[in-house]
Amino acid sequence: AKECFMPLYRMVAATAARQPEAVALCCGPRRITYARLVEDISKLAAWLSSLGLAPGDRLAVLLPNSIELVTVILAACRAEFVLVPLSPDMPPARQAEILAQTEAKGLVAASGSAAAIPAEAREQLDVTVCLGQPEPGTVGYDSFLAHALADRPPRSNVPDPICLLVFTSGSTGRPKAVAHTQERLARRVEAFIQALDVTAEDTTLAVFHAHRPVVLVFQVLAMLRQGGTVVLADQPAPAAFWRLYGEARPGYCLVMPSYARMLFADPGATLVDHARLRFWLSSGDTPGQALYEAARRITGRPYCNLYGLTETGLVAVVAPSETDRPGCVGRPVGEISLRLVDDAGRDVPEGSPGRLLVTSANMMVG
């Protein structure tokens, strides 16, 4: 009965039950099927629990965009840990601050990257798992493969456990920790799938870190929910992106405007087959007229703008049939309520500017 408390794990497990041999994730030459992914998630969750981590404990992660990163994310959901993503380009002092603020008990890091975290911060951790050659004081990531699949991690009785703590960018003040629960993220996945009619045929190319909510929900979890394939890369240079794109032939990609401008300026954009692509997704900044036109001219496909916040998740999306409207953020998606108000909190007349108020059953905890 307590399996119902893990909706993100159940989502992937249900897909694996339907199509166990389908490819779930690709990264470079590596492939992993749904059956193997679910097996690895279960083993890793049980193994991490055997190292002393308990439901509700914060588990930091510092990994490249990889099959292992997605496995760790979903294993944390399986074991009801709270994942705390760290960024490779974050200053060491900031890494230490996040570990202290979140009271992280464990860390999964790639070999060599743990050195980016101050030694005094690492000494406060109960468990450090190292992907690659284990470093002194760490446990090798691959050790989980020998763990018994029958061992189940402990369960809590929390109806909808927090699974992710991410920090805002700090554009409006000091970065804040934002808590997301499994059920709320799962509902965002469903809303996105319905809004853009995502199917198992839509392989997606994910070039930004899988732990970023925008990538986790709209690319990784949406594909794993539907039974498609996620191709993972670590923000390659434009020429490398187009080579990978030509091999993967995705149904959609999420490319932030600054990155998209570099991609569409590269000669490789005109040399690949765009036949399977249905649309581009944009998030995080204003695309502008030139980017809409470049996407259409070069690839023949629309550039769809998303609007959302770290705190709310997806708020609105421009559907492929309504694109090429610069400045438009589309229509509300899912269980979203919007109001446009003046400084006194009164609704403004249609066509007038105001402050946008957003509320949703799926927004952050608190």
Side-chain angles (χ1 to χ4, degrees):
K2 291 181 181 179
E3 293 289 325
C4 67
F5 298 158
M6 302 174 297
L8 296 182
Y9 167 76
R10 285 189 298 112
M11 178 188 296
V12 182
T15 306
R18 293 196 311 270
Q19 46 187 72
E21 297 310 311
V23 176
L25 304 171
C26 297
C27 188
R30 299 174 60 210
R31 306 283 187 272
I32 187 169
T33 65
Y34 276 92
R36 176 63 187 273
L37 177 61
V38 168
E39 179 180 337
D40 283 359
I41 290 166
S42 297
K43 282 186 176 181
L44 182 59
W47 179 70
L48 289 169
S49 297
S50 75
L51 297 180
L53 297 176
D57 282 348
R58 268 69 73 199
L59 176 66
V61 62
L62 182 57
L63 293 174
N65 219 25
S66 57
I67 290 172
E68 287 80 10
L69 176 57
V70 176
T71 305
V72 169
I73 292 170
L74 292 167
C77 292
R78 177 80 171 88
E80 295 184 35
F81 305 144
V82 180
L83 197 80
V84 179
L86 301 175
S87 175
D89 55 4
M90 197 179 287
R94 181 64 185 140
Q95 310 267 32
E97 190 176 274
I98 289 176
L99 291 174
Q101 184 178 341
T102 59
E103 299 180 344
K105 294 284 187 69
L107 168 68
V108 182
S111 181
S113 63
I117 300 171
E120 59 270 21
R122 280 183 280 138
E123 288 167 3
Q124 300 302 311
L125 299 166
D126 293 349
V127 177
T128 301
V129 176
C130 187
L131 174 64
Q133 184 63 37
E135 298 170 0
T138 71
V139 185
Y141 175 88
D142 288 344
S143 300
F144 88 88
L145 293 169
H147 201 75
L149 185 58
D151 288 359
R152 283 189 164 194
R155 299 266 63 83
S156 75
N157 290 312
V158 178
D160 187 16
I162 292 171
C163 65
L164 184 64
L165 272 181
V166 291
F167 284 78
T168 57
S169 63
S171 58
T172 57
R174 184 178 178 81
K176 300 176 289 293
V178 177
H180 300 285
T181 72
Q182 292 202 43
E183 184 60 43
R184 295 181 194 202
L185 287 180
R187 290 201 298 256
R188 289 185 204 169
V189 173
E190 298 295 342
F192 171 77
I193 287 171
Q194 291 177 21
L196 288 170
D197 192 26
V198 172
T199 74
E201 303 302 313
D202 289 320
T203 292
T204 192
L205 175 54
V207 294
F208 297 93
H209 272 97
H211 58 60
R212 295 179 63 166
V214 64
V215 179
L216 180 61
V217 172
F218 307 145
Q219 294 192 273
V220 175
L221 293 176
M223 277 292 89
L224 297 183
R225 162 69 176 81
Q226 295 297 79
T229 301
V230 184
V231 179
L232 297 154
D234 230 342
Q235 207 167 335
F241 173 92
W242 290 118
R243 283 196 299 273
L244 188 56
Y245 174 97
E247 295 167 4
R249 303 186 68 218
Y252 70 98
C253 298
L254 189 148
V255 284
M256 313 307 183
S258 59
Y259 187 59
R261 291 184 187 101
M262 292 191 298
L263 294 180
F264 295 142
D266 187 83
T270 61
L271 302 177
V272 292
D273 181 4
H274 299 287
R276 283 191 60 191
L277 184 76
R278 294 200 296 127
F279 53 82
W280 300 93
L281 287 178
S282 170
S283 178
D285 197 2
T286 305
Q289 178 75 37
L291 197 48
Y292 284 106
E293 292 175 355
R296 280 284 191 190
R297 182 181 70 255
I298 294 170
T299 74
R301 299 296 186 270
Y303 193 72
C304 301
N305 197 19
L306 301 178
Y307 173 68
L309 304 163
T310 306
E311 296 88 345
T312 63
L314 180 61
V315 172
V317 62
V318 179
S321 60
E322 299 177 326
T323 53
D324 307 323
R325 297 170 63 185
C328 177
V329 296
R331 303 178 187 277
V333 172
E335 304 170 75
I336 295 285
S337 296
L338 301 177
R339 288 178 63 204
L340 203 61
V341 302
D342 59 22
D343 289 341
R346 297 182 297 257
D347 290 337
V348 300
E350 187 171 336
S352 300
R355 294 175 60 218
L356 183 64
L357 304 186
V358 180
T359 189
S360 164
N362 303 336
M363 64 201 307
M364 67 177 186
V365 177

